[in-house]
Amino acid sequence: MSTLGTIDRPATHDPMKQVPTMTPLSDSPARHTSGAPESRQNRNRDMQLIPEALARAHMHDRLHEAESERRAVQLAAARRMQRRAERASLRARRALAMAVMQ
């Protein structure tokens, strides 16, 4: 196993033993490349994340749709099998009655 970790899963949780490049982003000083205030940078970052959030919400809705469709198909199949079993039971009961009558 490698002794190197990742940012999300460092090899050790002891800050003194971590690789210097593995420091969390919050410990590093904030970058102000455009000189914009922090609220504006946050808004820009949020605006850039909107398509990702929309895609995630869309996929969540599609998964729920697919699951409900799957349940509906399973329910319809179960009802078909129940009716088929009931008809087979009636046929068997009739056949038994006919055999007893003879």
Side-chain angles (χ1 to χ4, degrees), residues 29-75:
R31 294 183 303 184
H32 292 287
T33 55
S34 64
E38 188 66 27
S39 62
R40 184 169 162 201
Q41 286 183 349
N42 284 340
R43 187 183 68 218
N44 287 342
R45 188 175 333 128
D46 290 343
M47 293 290 281
Q48 289 172 354
L49 294 177
I50 285 175
E52 183 179 337
L54 285 174
R56 191 176 297 117
H58 182 67
M59 285 304 299
H60 185 263
D61 290 345
R62 296 286 305 270
L63 284 172
H64 279 290
E65 272 180 41
E67 183 63 31
S68 65
E69 173 108 7
R70 200 171 13 254
R71 272 182 279 175
V73 167
Q74 287 175 346
L75 181 63

